[in-house]
């Protein structure tokens, strides 16, 4: 089963290498990896997508928590979360296929960010299903090059089920 693990770490030299090394040393595969600083420049968030059964994921979580620079580890798969990735797709566009490439990009709310006489470069951001669906539709046109960012994810806030209270002054009006 696929798991998305969010790891808050100190933003220090070599931390990413230690986290990635932990996976390789134990033979766990990283399907996707994304790293960026948080609002606090002294910390970074690492988003790791990996595959494993409950025993393997538990082992990964324990090992990550042993890394000194790791501040917090969350398996987002156990919560409600939002995930996104961005892809840049360079497509061959013969004259007769240019309108079709534009139409497909429009369907997915993707953007053509560069063009030449023979190619379009299309940018898409969305969940994995949306990105892969666009790729499948563009394949018959001829994909020349494809770059994906890797997934990022964030836990959703709990839904607020109570109606907001009104200020007494608003009730009089």
């Amino acid at each position: 089963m696929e798991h998305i693990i969010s790891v808050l770490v100190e933003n220090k030299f070599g931390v990413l290498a230690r986290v990635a090394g932990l996976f390789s040393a134990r033979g766990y595969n990283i399907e996707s990896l994304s790293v960026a600083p948080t609002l606090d420049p002294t910390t970074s968030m690492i988003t790791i997508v990996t595959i494993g059964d409950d025993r393997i994921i538990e082992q990964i979580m324990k090992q990550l928590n042993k890394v000194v620079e790791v501040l917090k580890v969350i398996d987002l798969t156990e919560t409600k979360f939002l995930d996104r990735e961005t892809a840049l797709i360079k497509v061959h566009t013969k004259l007769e296929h240019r309108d079709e490439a534009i139409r497909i990009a429009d369907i997915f709310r993707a953007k053509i960010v560069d063009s030449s006489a023979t190619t379009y470069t299309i940018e898409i951001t969305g969940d994995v299903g949306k990105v892969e669906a666009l790729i499948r539709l563009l394949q018959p046109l001829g994909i020349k090059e494809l770059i994906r960012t890797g997934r990022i994810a964030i836990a959703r806030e709990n839904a607020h089920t109570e109606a907001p209270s009104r200020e007494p002054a608003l009730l009089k009006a």
Side-chain angles (χ1 to χ4, degrees):
M1 178 179 172
E2 180 182 271
H3 287 260
I4 299 176
I5 300 172
S6 182
V7 186
L8 181 66
V9 299
E10 294 176 16
N11 193 1
K12 291 183 176 176
F13 178 81
V15 174
L16 178 60
R18 279 189 279 289
V19 169
L22 180 153
F23 278 77
S24 66
R26 287 157 183 83
Y28 305 139
N29 193 32
I30 295 174
E31 299 292 322
S32 168
L33 177 71
S34 178
V35 184
T38 64
L39 283 175
D40 176 359
T42 65
T43 63
S44 290
M45 185 64 73
I46 301 174
T47 304
I48 301 167
V49 179
T50 190
I51 294 175
D53 59 26
D54 290 344
R55 186 186 59 77
I56 290 172
I57 298 305
E58 181 181 339
Q59 188 66 27
I60 289 171
M61 301 288 283
K62 285 180 180 176
Q63 293 299 318
L64 285 170
N65 278 308
K66 289 181 181 177
V67 177
V68 173
E69 296 88 354
V70 169
L71 304 172
K72 187 175 182 181
V73 181
I74 300 172
D75 182 358
L76 291 172
T77 311
E78 298 174 352
T79 65
K80 292 182 179 179
F81 64 94
L82 298 171
D83 68 321
R84 296 289 183 266
E85 76 173 318
T86 297
L88 294 173
I89 309 161
K90 191 178 293 182
V91 181
H92 293 285
T93 51
K94 296 177 184 170
L95 188 58
E96 63 270 19
H97 293 149
R98 294 179 81 83
D99 289 341
E100 179 69 3
I102 292 170
R103 188 183 66 77
I104 292 170
D106 285 346
I107 290 170
F108 288 89
R109 297 184 187 155
K111 293 187 275 184
I112 296 174
V113 293
D114 192 32
S115 67
S116 72
T118 59
T119 64
Y120 281 149
T121 301
I122 299 172
E123 174 190 321
I124 184 169
T125 298
D127 62 32
V128 171
K130 179 180 177 180
V131 172
E132 290 182 355
L134 175 63
I135 292 168
R136 278 193 303 276
L137 283 180
L138 291 173
Q139 281 177 331
L141 302 180
I143 294 176
K144 183 175 181 183
E145 193 173 349
L146 169 68
I147 305 284
R148 296 170 83 158
T149 59
R151 289 159 66 183
I152 57 170
I154 191 167
R156 297 188 78 153
E157 292 294 321
N158 290 332
H160 190 68
T161 55
E162 296 178 26
S165 62
R166 294 184 175 196
E167 296 291 325
L170 295 174
L171 294 174
K172 292 178 183 175

